[in-house]
Amino acid sequence: MSKNMFITVEVWRADGEIEWLKYDDEIYRFDLSKDATAGMVDMMIAALASYNDIGGKHKEFVLNTLIKKMKNRELVILGGIHFQDDSTHIFNGCCCGMEEWSLIVDMLKANMSPWMGHDPDVCCSEKEGIYYVSNVQLVNTGTIYYHENADGEIVEYDPGMPIEDALADERYKVISYEKELFMELLEKVEEDFNNFVEYPLKERLLQLTSEKTARAFMEAFCTCFGRERRQKMNA
């Protein structure tokens, strides 16, 4: 399957390294799946601590602080949804959080274009049963602006680019999905999240800490970044 879709996390090298984590300058983004490596998990833990201003070097202090804050859904991390078609990749724009993935998925299922960051302005538009994901704003994505014309009338307009124009312009990336595949991939990303937690995250945590702390971290991670985060917020 050349076309795919993933939950993605954006990480970086923290200013102050945590010595019990492995740092890899080659890792700056990875997708959540059962294939994630121990190094990717380490970079994610480091990014969680750094991005959320959690200081300290001691292993149990850092892990337990992360657990406490994740239980309260207080943590965020850059990321979103990664769209792929062979060598073409479209990632979220800046300021989009990985914790928003379930909202993004649900809106895409409902044929709405969710906010996925800007620069690039990633969006989705459906036309005749084909779903187009692009790194440029497309028409019919639900974004409407208003302006006053020369006659003083308030007129609404769609700022997006027609799909045909985006496809013809080499400056932009566009990935098309048939509806059946699009919906299958949206279902798959939740399975990817669960597999990431159950396999690479669990395996690495058990190398770093006790089984009790590892289990508490996994549960808190699901509370903060899994689908239950949105379910709780909407309750």
Side-chain angles (χ1 to χ4, degrees):
M1 183 188 296
S2 59
K3 297 184 181 183
N4 219 320
M5 202 181 295
F6 310 91
I7 302 169
T8 192
V9 178
E10 191 174 333
V11 301
W12 66 92
R13 196 179 184 89
D15 293 335
E17 291 189 3
I18 301 174
E19 61 182 14
W20 44 272
L21 294 174
K22 298 176 182 178
Y23 285 76
D24 188 341
D25 288 332
E26 299 298 318
I27 298 174
Y28 66 95
R29 181 191 291 275
F30 73 93
D31 298 324
L32 270 57
S33 76
K34 64 181 179 181
D35 299 320
T37 65
M40 292 172 180
V41 174
D42 280 16
M43 292 298 285
M44 184 190 72
I45 294 173
L48 280 172
S50 177
Y51 191 70
N52 294 281
D53 297 320
I54 296 173
K57 304 277 187 176
H58 190 271
K59 183 190 301 183
E60 296 308 313
F61 172 80
V62 172
L63 291 177
N64 284 311
T65 301
L66 289 173
I67 290 169
K68 179 180 178 180
K69 288 185 174 292
M70 287 192 295
K71 281 183 176 179
N72 294 328
R73 299 173 180 83
E74 296 175 358
L75 301 189
V76 294
I77 190 169
L78 294 175
I81 300 294
H82 165 204
F83 303 90
Q84 178 185 358
D85 180 7
D86 292 327
S87 60
T88 300
H89 299 267
I90 297 177
F91 295 99
N92 55 280
C94 71
C95 302
C96 186
M98 185 272 282
E99 68 280 355
E100 297 292 330
W101 72 265
S102 62
L103 173 61
I104 292 172
V105 165
D106 287 348
M107 290 186 70
L108 290 173
K109 286 181 180 179
N111 199 16
M112 294 186 287
S113 184
W115 186 83
M116 291 184 276
H118 54 84
D119 192 24
D121 295 311
V122 182
C123 73
C124 178
S125 184
E126 182 271 337
K127 184 175 182 180
E128 298 177 354
I130 303 296
Y131 289 77
Y132 297 90
V133 177
S134 176
N135 63 349
V136 62
Q137 189 71 29
L138 299 173
V139 297
N140 302 320
T141 57
T143 303
I144 299 295
Y145 291 91
Y146 299 87
H147 75 98
E148 185 175 339
N149 64 19
D151 297 324
E153 299 172 326
I154 301 300
V155 180
E156 68 177 37
Y157 69 97
D158 188 328
M161 173 182 293
I163 292 169
E164 293 77 12
D165 292 351
L167 287 168
D169 196 322
E170 295 182 354
R171 294 176 298 173
Y172 305 121
K173 296 180 180 179
V174 182
I175 297 176
S176 62
Y177 298 88
E178 293 185 355
K179 181 177 182 179
E180 183 177 358
L181 175 60
F182 192 72
M183 296 303 171
E184 287 178 2
L185 293 176
L186 289 173
E187 293 292 338
K188 179 192 74 74
V189 296
E190 185 163 2
E191 181 180 348
D192 286 341
F193 180 91
N194 295 333
N195 284 337
F196 169 75
V197 172
E198 189 59 33
Y199 297 103
L201 181 60
K202 178 181 180 180
E203 181 178 347
R204 182 55 178 151
L205 287 169
L206 289 173
Q207 295 171 351
L208 293 172
T209 187
S210 67
E211 183 176 353
K212 180 180 179 181
T213 302
R215 178 59 61 183
F217 191 103
M218 292 166 59
E219 291 175 355
F221 184 81
C222 290
T223 297
C224 190
F225 295 103
R227 180 167 288 283
E228 53 188 288
R229 176 187 182 115
R230 181 163 176 246
Q231 292 171 339
K232 180 68 175 180
M233 294 178 69
N234 290 340

